[in-house]
Amino acid sequence: MSFPTTRLRRLRRTDTLRALVRETSLSLDDVVMPLFACPGEGVVRPVEGLPGIAQRSVDELVREAGELARAGVLAVLLFGIPEVKDADGSGAWDDDGIVQRALRALRAEVPGLTLLTDVCLCEYTEHGHCGVLEGDTVANDETLELLARTAVSHVESGADAVCPSDMMDGRVGAIRAALPETPIVSYAAKYASAFYGPFREVAESAPSFGDRRGYQMDPANRREALRECTLDLEEGADVLMVKPALPYLDVIRAVRERFDCPVWAYQVSGEYAMVRAAADAGHLEERRAALEALTAIKRAGAGTIVTYWAKDLGSWL
């Protein structure tokens, strides 16, 4: 039927009617909060480019994780800033490394929280690239063993799942061979994006030369993302992640339609920082803009979203 019989506005008249017919909903079950562990004690070091986010020493990280759990957040994704960096990123798999210490403390103090870890070398190498170097080039195959060692050390320290983000070819297979029973959340389609700037500040992981376009994906490519996902599933990935999220909604949708597995998205630091900056300048309302962006990511097909708004959602929802 057509107008005037058909009037779609009828179901938009009240909050309750809109809720009853809403096609996409957000829940705290759908989000993961990134956390950044740093050396020291009693350290909460805010980051200028990422309002509300900070590097935290292990004791403060435990305190923050407890607040997250009480707010209803179910999972965190851990990153580490080591005291010392070297050419190989050896702090990444050190049994007494910063992430390993944080995992043990969180497992003891916040036992109900699901602990995910980012597996990459960029925060631990003195050059800031995601693997070991041969000259000025990241050596793919030589990096795989180090990534697997890192993942194993995380699991031995208490991680529930590992999340390789380095974009080396074959890294899921290397980790799966070392950890046959551990969930692997693969950053399968990770793009060489301009939206990572604030993260590199908080994680202290900016490359000292060049960029990461030689191993992260070209933002112009979508079909290649599906090839990456196919290979990662064949190597043993349990979950596929697309990063960034909002500029790549079409990729999230394509992955969701192609693969019968959990699909996640990472709403990256630049996406968060843009909205926060616009809200601070009075150009928009942070809560509404954040919820709209998160809903768009969920609507595109992401079942779970890594987001810096996870803690805020505890009160907003």
Side-chain angles (χ1 to χ4, degrees):
M1 296 182 180
S2 60
F3 181 83
T5 304
T6 302
R7 294 177 180 257
L8 298 182
R9 288 180 55 189
R10 286 193 289 254
L11 292 176
R12 302 172 191 159
R13 291 174 52 219
T14 67
D15 289 342
T16 304
L17 283 170
R18 289 192 293 272
L20 286 171
V21 298
R22 188 164 292 135
E23 299 172 20
T24 305
S25 60
L26 282 173
S27 163
L28 283 172
D29 295 349
D30 304 331
V31 297
V32 176
M33 180 73 182
L35 292 177
F36 300 89
C38 70
E41 187 174 344
V43 177
V44 178
R45 187 177 297 124
V47 179
E48 183 179 355
L50 211 51
I53 307 301
Q55 297 177 351
R56 289 180 165 85
S57 55
V58 171
D59 57 321
E60 293 293 340
L61 196 78
V62 168
R63 191 191 315 276
E64 177 71 3
E67 292 183 8
L68 286 165
R70 287 188 290 275
V73 176
L74 303 181
V76 297
L77 176 59
L78 293 178
F79 299 85
I81 299 94
E83 292 185 70
V84 178
K85 304 188 180 196
D86 59 27
D88 293 337
S90 62
W93 61 85
D94 186 341
D95 288 341
D96 196 38
I98 186 64
V99 166
Q100 289 79 357
R101 295 202 305 270
L103 283 166
R104 290 191 288 269
L106 289 168
R107 179 60 65 219
E109 299 296 330
V110 197
L113 200 61
T114 296
L115 305 179
L116 315 177
T117 60
D118 182 82
V119 176
C120 191
L121 303 184
C122 62
E123 295 125 84
Y124 303 90
T125 55
E126 58 194 12
H127 47 75
H129 280 283
C130 298
V132 295
L133 298 180
E134 286 183 355
D136 289 342
T137 301
V138 175
N140 188 97
D141 294 7
E142 289 78 358
T143 299
L144 300 183
E145 178 189 355
L146 305 184
L147 294 168
R149 288 177 66 182
T150 300
V152 168
S153 74
H154 288 178
V155 171
E156 290 176 344
S157 298
D160 293 297
V162 293
C163 310
S165 65
D166 55 284
M167 288 302 286
M168 299 297 114
D169 291 331
R171 89 267 204 226
V172 172
I175 294 170
R176 176 53 70 218
L179 294 169
E181 299 298 329
T182 299
I184 297 176
V185 179
S186 174
Y187 291 68
K190 181 178 178 181
Y191 286 84
S193 172
F195 289 90
Y196 299 148
F199 171 87
R200 291 176 180 173
E201 182 183 354
V202 69
E204 299 182 12
S205 63
S208 61
F209 68 91
D211 53 44
R212 296 185 175 130
R213 288 181 290 182
Y215 43 100
Q216 293 179 357
M217 284 188 57
D218 186 334
N221 292 356
R222 185 172 71 116
R223 293 191 300 273
E224 184 187 7
L226 300 179
R227 295 184 68 190
E228 288 279 10
C229 290
T230 299
L231 291 169
D232 284 3
L233 287 175
E234 289 174 351
E235 290 176 23
D238 300 288
V239 178
L240 300 173
M241 180 136 69
V242 176
K243 179 180 181 183
L246 206 57
Y248 297 90
L249 295 179
D250 62 318
V251 178
I252 296 170
R253 170 50 56 188
V255 173
R256 174 68 286 154
E257 290 178 346
R258 177 71 67 89
F259 301 104
D260 188 19
C261 70
V263 176
W264 293 16
Y266 196 137
Q267 187 185 47
V268 300
S269 59
E271 299 174 64
Y272 171 84
M274 286 192 305
V275 173
R276 285 295 306 262
D280 290 345
H283 298 315
L284 50 76
E285 181 186 336
E286 179 188 356
R287 176 184 175 185
R288 287 188 61 193
L291 290 174
E292 187 174 340
L294 287 162
T295 300
I297 297 164
K298 189 85 184 295
R299 190 180 65 240
T304 298
I305 306 169
V306 181
T307 175
Y308 297 92
W309 274 299
K311 188 176 182 180
D312 294 293
L313 288 171
S315 58
W316 290 349
L317 297 180

